[in-house]
Structures are given as structure tokens and as C-alpha cells.
Amino acid sequence: MPDRTERAKFDDLYAQVSAMLADGRYRPGDRIGLKDLASRLHVCVTPLREVLSRLVGCDIVTERRSEGYYLARFDSRDIADLYRLHCACIERALDEAKGVTFAVESADIWETLCAIVDASGNTILSDVHRYLDGRLKLIRRAEIALLGNTEHVLIEFSHTLIDQDLEEFRDKIRSIYDRRISMAADIALFLGRGS
């Protein structure tokens, strides 16, 4: 079993690679050159291969035997399904976290929704949410480019939560997802162009 220092190094490398995959350096379907990436990150190939293998298990990266690693592809149906499932997680979390007072503490809508899932106390739901959120992080830059900043939504969330109107809050959440689902084809196109 690795010691804490080794575990921390692995976690840091995992976070670095995840961030690089999400920031647009790679488009969906692009090959991830193991040696090139190891050189850029100043790490050995072995721990990097382990990180990429873990990302394969999360469906963020695909591995083709004897060819290497590739960033997962997304078509519009995949994107719409991910949003639908993510929305279902949030709605389930709201049901399970009844009576819990939520506060919008982050400027990031997705962190706020993650806090709602955490507040549910349901570990299975948290695991499913983490999986979906990991995949959706790959398309967040497309969301920002196509839909703009979500700060105004967070302000609306805050007011709704202060008023303790969970049904209105649920409606606002659904509208966030509905808008993204309706734009799934545009998001897929944006990601394919590497914009």
C-alpha cells in the first residue's frame, strides 16, 4: 500500500491531468501522447499510465491496445444523457436532503450542486454524481463559451434558498439542464472543432 506522500503525489498528478484534459488542450478523440505528456508534467511514464488507466475506468479516457490513450468522444446524445442523469442525481439529492438548509457558498454553480449531493448523505448517489461530474467537466468550457457566465443563476439560487422554496429551486435546476440538453448538438460541435 502506498504511503501518504506517494498517495498525495498521485492525487496531484491525477488533478493535473484531469485539468489538462478539461481545459481544451485535447479535443474529444485526440490521442494523448504518454511520453509527451510525461515530459510536460515532469513525471515518469509509469505513474502517468496509472492515472490514465484510472481515467479509463471513469470513461474520460479510452485505451486502444497497442495504440495508446485517447480523450473520450462525446456526441450530442451522450451529452444530453449525461445532463439528464446529472439532473436526476441533483433532484434525488434534494429529496434526500429535505430539511437541510443549503447556502450558496461558491461562485461555481456546479460546486453548489455538488454540495447539495454531499448534503444528502447518500454515498451511492455521491459516487454516481462524481462519475457524471467527471465526464461533464470535459464539456464545461463549451458551456461557458456557448452559454456564458452562470453567476446570475447563482444569485437566483441564493434568493430561492433564502426563501426556502425548494420547488422553485427544483424548477430553476431543471431549467439549467433543459437549456443544456437543448444545446447538446451545439456543445458537441464546439468540442469537435476544438474552439
Side-chain angles (χ1 to χ4, degrees), residues 82-99:
L82 285 168
Y83 281 128
R84 284 185 191 99
L85 292 168
H86 201 269
C87 183
C89 275
I90 301 304
E91 289 184 332
R92 176 68 185 203
L94 283 170
D95 290 341
E96 293 202 14
K98 282 188 177 160

Side-chain angles (χ1 to χ4, degrees), residues 17-97:
V17 172
S18 295
M20 288 177 81
L21 296 177
D23 75 4
R25 294 176 203 208
Y26 298 93
R27 290 182 302 174
D30 278 357
R31 186 172 189 278
I32 302 166
L34 196 59
K35 290 179 183 176
D36 178 55
L37 186 56
S39 175
R40 275 195 273 164
L41 295 172
H42 307 292
V43 296
C44 296
V45 171
T46 302
L48 182 58
R49 184 176 285 121
E50 191 175 327
V51 165
L52 291 172
S53 292
R54 173 97 34 102
L55 291 167
V56 167
C58 297
D59 297 320
I60 294 170
V61 170
T62 59
E63 181 180 11
R64 298 181 196 157
R65 298 287 178 211
S66 74
E67 287 185 43
Y69 296 95
Y70 294 79
L71 187 59
R73 290 184 183 274
F74 291 99
D75 63 23
S76 59
R77 193 169 111 201
D78 296 333
I79 293 168
D81 285 345
L82 285 168
Y83 281 128
R84 284 185 191 99
L85 292 168
H86 201 269
C87 183
C89 275
I90 301 304
E91 289 184 332
R92 176 68 185 203
L94 283 170
D95 290 341
E96 293 202 14

Side-chain angles (χ1 to χ4, degrees), residues 168-188:
E168 183 182 344
F169 187 69
R170 189 181 299 269
D171 289 342
K172 288 184 187 308
I173 288 172
R174 282 187 196 124
S175 71
I176 289 168
Y177 288 102
D178 288 345
R179 184 165 183 218
R180 283 157 176 74
I181 290 166
S182 71
M183 293 190 67
D186 295 326
I187 292 170

Side-chain angles (χ1 to χ4, degrees), residues 141-160:
R141 65 185 174 80
E143 283 179 7
I144 293 166
L146 296 171
L147 299 169
N149 194 330
T150 58
E151 194 171 303
H152 67 285
V153 175
L154 284 169
I155 293 167
E156 291 177 21
F157 271 11
S158 297
H159 293 295
T160 306

